[in-house]
């Protein structure tokens, strides 16, 4: 197989590619978390309802998740550099629109467009890195990339709090404009182009059907709690999504080589394994981190900035582990790295049992270390494996698949565990002795506790003695609910560790993809290697 590259470009330019991809990835991942701390200020600016604010979050998550595979497939056909830069322009302009939004509806629409631009960047970024780097250098590059992803997630509350408290919430979006413009200029000048020369036109049917199917699936999870999991709209979204996925499968089978998604990947054990682990990891870690951040802010009473500072141990461990993982990707079997990383996450999450109603924030420290080390160790091999399972000419598609599983894991995990958390905290509070004094209002009060407003709700009752009892009951219910739900997240991470150890095999990877050679692996370029890349014979039937 061949893919178009320009062998005349100097190799040292690849560092600029890595820098541009990392800058773009940091911005788009940051915008997943940075908005949460600014929601109260947005509500005051626009006099917005809870539903309107929810769409500010959901629109971005929806655009990001739905267009990942589509963006990767388009990049393989049209050129990865070209599509990446187009997505970057979209992301920067949408960020400007978000920062100057006149009302909540405009902001939500702009966030949706920003999510689509982010999907393009996130889907194609790993493929661009894989195109430039080989062997141990590739491992190091993906170590940096994985560290950047984790840092953006961990630093979100800190940066969001600093910008919101310092110069206003609009700057959480406007800061993307100058940074993005510089990174875009670097990418346009220094990146090399690559594409699949065998591409035979656009798979328009597949693009539309898959986007519709995934959009309804993610939207169902995002809106399930508010509308009711058994409500007609929610069930309809899940049912239509399932039907569209069946249609997509049939369309792709019929199109064969022209299909946007290579169904043959499902015969690859490692593809299925890393996809499942990515989904489980996203579903376990993101909601657990969000809930612990909520605990520190709403129960312990720290500001957004102070909360971010207290989560720095997680950030430091994550970055250190990501740097270490970059060098280990060519020295250890991938199943060992992936399985060990999820095991560390599971251990870190299970240490939430150290937290009780009277704990200080330091009770979270042992868990932060485990979670940070596990996430940092996981991100580099995940990004590398996502493109190593496919031939290089389809790297964009393979990368898009990997990032789709991650984002769907985030959306599903936050929705499912968020709903479980709300249910458990509401129930725990409603059955506490202090709640008896509230009568029929106990359940409504419990929902306020789950949303982080327990202390404010308690002070509103007017009776100081009763308020003290209610606040203590609220704190206990929140902490007990946090422990139960994060332990469920730990169980999911442990399942991911088992899948990682059992479901990833070196012989399923393309030769030289990770700087290793396996006689059972097919050559990455077949008999038609580009200049400077040796063609190797021997492929698995």
């Amino acid at each position: 197989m061949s893919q178009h590259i320009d062998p005349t470009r100097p190799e040292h330019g690849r560092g600029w590619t890595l820098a541009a991809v990392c800058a773009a990835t940091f911005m788009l991942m940051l915008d997943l978390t940075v908005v949460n701390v600014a929601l109260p200020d947005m509500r005051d600016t626009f006099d917005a309802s809870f539903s309107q604010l929810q769409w500010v979050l959901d629109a971005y998550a929806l655009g990001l998740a739905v267009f990942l595979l589509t963006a990767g497939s388009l990049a393989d056909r049209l050129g990865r550099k070209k599509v990446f830069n187009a997505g970057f322009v979209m992301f920067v302009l949408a960020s400007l629109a978000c920062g100057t939004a006149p009302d909540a509806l405009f902001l939500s629409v702009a966030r949706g467009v920003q999510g689509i631009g982010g999907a393009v960047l996130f889907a194609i970024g790993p493929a661009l890195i894989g195109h430039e780097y080989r062997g141990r250098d590739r491992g190091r590059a993906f170590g940096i990339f994985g560290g950047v992803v984790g840092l953006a997630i961990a630093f979100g509350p800190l940066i969001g709090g600093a910008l919101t408290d310092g110069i206003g919430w609009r700057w959480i979006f406007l800061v993307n404009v100058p940074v993005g413009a510089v990174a875009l200029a670097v990418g346009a000048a220094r990146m090399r182009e690559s594409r699949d020369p065998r591409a035979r036109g656009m798979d328009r049917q597949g693009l539309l059907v898959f986007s519709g199917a995934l959009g309804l699936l993610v939207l169902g999870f995002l809106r399930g709690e508010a509308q009711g999991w058994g409500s007609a709209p929610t069930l309809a979204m899940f049912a239509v999504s399932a039907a569209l996925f069946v249609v997509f499968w049939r369309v792709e089978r019929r199109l064969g080589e022209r299909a946007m998604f290579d169904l043959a990947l499902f015969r690859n054990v490692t593809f299925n394994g890393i996809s499942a682990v990515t989904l489980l990891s996203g579903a376990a870690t993101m909601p657990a981190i969000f809930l612990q951040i909520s605990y520190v802010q709403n129960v312990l009473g720290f500001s957004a900035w102070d909360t971010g500072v207290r989560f720095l141990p997680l950030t430091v461990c994550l970055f250190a582990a990501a740097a270490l993982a970059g060098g280990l990707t060519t020295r250890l079997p991938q199943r060992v790295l992936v399985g060990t990383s999820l095991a560390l996450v599971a251990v870190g999450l299970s240490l939430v049992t150290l937290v009780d109603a009277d704990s200080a924030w330091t009770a979270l420290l042992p868990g932060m270390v485990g979670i940070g080390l596990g996430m940092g160790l996981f991100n580099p091999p995940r990004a590398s494996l996502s493109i190593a399972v496919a031939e290089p000419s389809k790297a964009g598609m393979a990368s898009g698949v990997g990032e789709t599983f991650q984002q769907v894991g985030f959306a599903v995990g936050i929705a499912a565990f968020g709903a479980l958390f709300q249910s458990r905290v509401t129930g725990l509070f409603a059955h506490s002795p202090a709640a008896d004094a509230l009568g029929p209002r106990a359940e409504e009060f419990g929902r306020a506790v789950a949303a982080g407003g327990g202390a404010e709700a308690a002070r509103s009752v007017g009776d100081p003695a009763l308020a003290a009892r209610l606040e203590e009951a609220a704190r206990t219910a929140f902490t007990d609910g946090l422990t139960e739900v994060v332990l469920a997240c730990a169980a999911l991470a442990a399942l991911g560790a088992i899948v990682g150890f059992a479901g990833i095999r070196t012989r399923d990877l393309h030769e030289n993809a990770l700087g290793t050679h396996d006689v059972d692996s097919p050559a990455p370029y077949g008999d038609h290697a580009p200049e400077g890349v040796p063609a190797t014979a021997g492929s698995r039937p």
Side-chain angles (χ1 to χ4, degrees):
M1 305 299 172
S2 65
Q3 68 173 345
H4 174 75
I5 66 172
D6 178 7
T8 66
R9 296 294 298 273
E11 187 177 88
H12 66 263
R14 63 187 186 175
W16 291 104
T17 297
L18 178 62
V21 169
C22 286
T25 303
F26 186 85
M27 288 191 296
L28 70 94
M29 290 301 293
L30 188 68
D31 277 8
L32 272 175
T33 56
V34 74
V35 175
N36 290 274
V37 298
L39 288 178
D41 292 75
M42 294 178 185
R43 179 186 60 209
D44 294 340
T45 300
F46 298 134
D47 191 24
S49 66
F50 175 80
S51 178
Q52 289 174 315
L53 291 176
Q54 190 67 32
W55 271 113
V56 173
L57 299 175
D58 292 353
Y60 184 75
L62 194 62
L64 187 61
V66 168
F67 288 95
L68 284 164
L69 177 56
T70 300
S73 179
L74 286 174
D76 286 339
R77 286 165 164 75
L78 303 178
R80 296 176 192 125
K81 173 183 175 179
K82 181 188 299 182
V83 177
F84 182 87
N85 287 337
F88 217 151
V89 170
M90 182 184 296
F91 183 84
V92 171
L93 292 179
S95 297
L96 178 62
C98 289
T100 57
D103 54 50
L105 176 60
F106 187 95
L107 177 59
S108 296
V109 173
R111 283 280 285 170
V113 177
Q114 190 188 37
I116 296 173
V120 175
L121 301 177
F122 205 27
I124 304 172
L128 288 169
I129 295 173
H131 171 63
E132 294 289 347
Y133 291 87
R134 293 287 184 272
R136 292 185 179 181
D137 288 343
R138 175 180 281 189
R140 296 188 187 98
F142 276 114
I144 295 172
F145 176 80
V148 167
V149 171
L151 286 175
I153 295 172
F155 270 122
L158 184 66
I159 295 175
L163 291 174
T164 301
D165 295 342
I167 54 179
W169 66 264
R170 293 183 182 276
W171 281 94
I172 65 177
F173 302 115
L174 294 177
V175 73
N176 290 336
V177 177
V179 177
V182 172
L184 180 61
V186 169
R190 297 287 184 172
M191 281 184 185
R192 295 195 293 175
E193 185 59 280
S194 62
R195 64 174 62 88
D196 180 2
R198 301 170 305 158
R200 302 178 182 177
M202 302 299 296
D203 176 10
R204 293 182 176 83
Q205 286 180 286
L207 295 176
L208 292 174
V209 174
F210 182 82
S211 297
L214 190 57
L216 288 172
L217 175 66
V218 173
L219 187 60
F221 278 106
L222 291 174
R223 289 289 168 167
E225 177 63 23
Q227 295 179 339
W229 294 104
S231 66
T234 302
L235 293 177
M237 283 189 281
F238 286 139
V240 176
S241 172
L244 289 176
F245 274 122
V246 173
V247 173
F248 174 72
W249 183 274
R250 292 180 175 177
V251 167
E252 299 304 280
R253 287 187 64 183
R254 187 181 73 248
L255 291 178
E257 283 293 322
R258 292 188 295 115
M260 64 176 282
F261 180 66
D262 184 2
L263 297 178
L265 282 175
F266 284 114
R267 296 197 293 268
N268 186 308
V269 173
T270 295
F271 169 79
N272 294 324
I274 193 60
S275 297
V277 175
T278 299
L279 182 72
L280 292 170
S281 174
T285 55
M286 189 62 75
I289 291 174
F290 278 176
L291 289 176
Q292 291 182 61
I293 289 173
S294 178
Y295 165 75
V296 173
Q297 283 187 293
N298 299 312
V299 175
L300 300 185
F302 289 102
S303 68
W305 169 262
D306 290 336
T307 298
V309 169
R310 280 157 180 78
F311 273 83
L312 283 177
L314 186 152
T315 305
V316 172
C317 290
L318 189 154
F319 191 75
L324 178 65
L328 293 177
T329 54
T330 57
R331 300 178 183 177
L332 293 177
Q334 299 302 296
R335 65 179 181 276
V336 173
L337 280 177
V338 172
T340 301
S341 67
L342 268 293
L344 285 170
V345 170
V347 170
L349 293 175
S350 66
L351 291 176
V352 73
T353 54
L354 299 175
V355 179
D356 58 36
D358 299 319
S359 296
W361 74 272
T362 50
L364 293 170
L365 279 174
M368 288 185 192
V369 173
I371 297 168
L373 291 176
M375 289 179 65
L377 198 62
F378 176 67
N379 281 325
R382 178 201 65 80
S384 185
L385 282 168
S386 70
I387 63 171
V389 294
E391 60 186 70
S393 64
K394 296 184 178 180
M397 178 272 295
S399 175
V401 172
E403 306 308 340
T404 297
F405 274 103
Q406 184 181 64
Q407 295 304 320
V408 171
F410 288 167
V412 172
I414 290 172
F417 284 115
L420 176 61
F421 177 76
Q422 184 177 41
S423 174
R424 291 302 299 140
V425 172
T426 301
L428 288 167
F429 177 83
H431 289 89
S432 66
D436 293 340
L438 297 175
R441 293 189 299 138
E443 187 170 340
E444 179 183 355
F445 196 103
R447 286 194 291 270
V449 173
E456 293 82 356
R459 288 192 290 268
S460 69
V461 300
D463 182 346
L466 177 59
R469 291 173 54 209
L470 290 174
E471 187 169 354
E472 181 180 357
R475 186 183 181 110
T476 300
F478 194 104
T479 305
D480 291 348
L482 173 74
T483 300
E484 292 182 16
V485 174
V486 175
L487 282 176
C489 293
L492 203 62
L495 177 60
I498 295 171
V499 175
F501 281 121
I504 294 175
R505 309 182 308 190
T506 302
R507 65 177 179 270
D508 293 330
L509 308 180
H510 275 255
E511 186 181 359
N512 295 328
L514 298 171
T516 58
H517 176 77
D518 189 289
V519 294
D520 294 329
S521 299
Y525 301 99
D527 297 327
H528 303 284
E531 183 176 337
V533 179
T536 49
S539 61
R540 187 176 63 254

